[in-house]
Amino acid sequence: MRFATADRRHREQRLPVLPPLHCSACPIREHTIYKRIIEVRPLAVESLRTTRVHYPKGHLLRAQGETDTNLFTLFSGWALRFRISRGGRRQILSFHLPGDLIGLEAIGASQGDFGVRALTEVALCKFESGSLISLLLQPGEAS
């Protein structure tokens, strides 16, 4: 009996849904900051993606004070950007929904004064910030 219950639980577990391999096939591309780039040069953004990742609810994507050189596009799920005050209270700065670029706020800062935590299971595309920012800053690319 014990084995039957464990087997049923194993079958009920959902496999993580990762973003598609090709940006041109991504259902959220219309909601991203680089939508126009994908339409004109579909491989430009895709070639800069370092990996596709999946994290459970509650996972800390970025710790406050961390100097991270990565940006993430949220494919599925919700996340929140927060700051912990000197008194130890959490202040919610913003919510991230699918299509949002996470980490852009820290570009140019010596260290980020915020953290990002998954509110639900999340799937993300990970980019090295310098390459993606360079692409976005090219004249006529982003809109």
Side-chain angles (χ1 to χ4, degrees), residues 33 70-72 96 101-108 114 133 136:
I33 192 170
N70 293 306
L71 296 173
F72 299 92
H96 290 289
L101 189 60
I102 298 174
L104 192 59
E105 304 88 349
I107 300 300
F114 64 90
I133 296 301
L136 292 172

Side-chain angles (χ1 to χ4, degrees), residues 1 4 12-13 27 34 37 49 65 77 84 89 97-98 104 107 112 129 141:
M1 185 66 162
E12 291 172 357
Q13 288 179 341
Y34 36 78
I37 300 170
R49 181 177 58 200
I84 304 294
R89 299 185 72 161
L97 304 174
L104 192 59
I107 300 300
S129 63
E141 290 292 350

Side-chain angles (χ1 to χ4, degrees), residues 19-27 29 38 42-43 46 49 52 125:
L21 284 173
H22 303 290
C23 294
S24 58
C26 184
R29 72 181 179 279
I38 293 172
L43 297 179
E46 192 174 306
R49 181 177 58 200
R52 301 172 304 145
C125 290

Side-chain angles (χ1 to χ4, degrees), residues 106-122:
I107 300 300
S110 58
Q111 68 179 37
D113 65 342
F114 64 90
V116 179
R117 184 172 300 276
L119 286 173
T120 64
E121 279 186 60
V122 294

Side-chain angles (χ1 to χ4, degrees), residues 4-87:
T5 304
D7 184 52
R8 188 173 348 114
R9 255 186 269 138
H10 178 70
R11 280 182 287 149
E12 291 172 357
Q13 288 179 341
R14 292 182 298 132
L15 294 175
V17 176
L18 289 174
L21 284 173
H22 303 290
C23 294
S24 58
C26 184
I28 65 156
R29 72 181 179 279
E30 293 294 317
H31 307 289
T32 64
I33 192 170
Y34 36 78
K35 167 183 130 174
R36 178 77 176 111
I37 300 170
I38 293 172
E39 290 172 358
V40 178
R41 296 175 33 211
L43 297 179
V45 174
E46 192 174 306
S47 67
L48 300 177
R49 181 177 58 200
T50 58
T51 189
R52 301 172 304 145
V53 293
H54 175 267
Y55 295 115
K57 173 183 176 178
H59 183 82
L60 189 62
L61 302 171
R62 183 181 199 285
Q64 184 171 329
E66 184 178 282
T67 53
D68 192 359
T69 61
N70 293 306
L71 296 173
F72 299 92
T73 299
L74 186 60
F75 174 73
S76 66
W78 287 46
L80 68 86
R81 188 169 64 98
F82 66 92
R83 177 184 353 222
I84 304 294
S85 70
R86 288 191 182 128

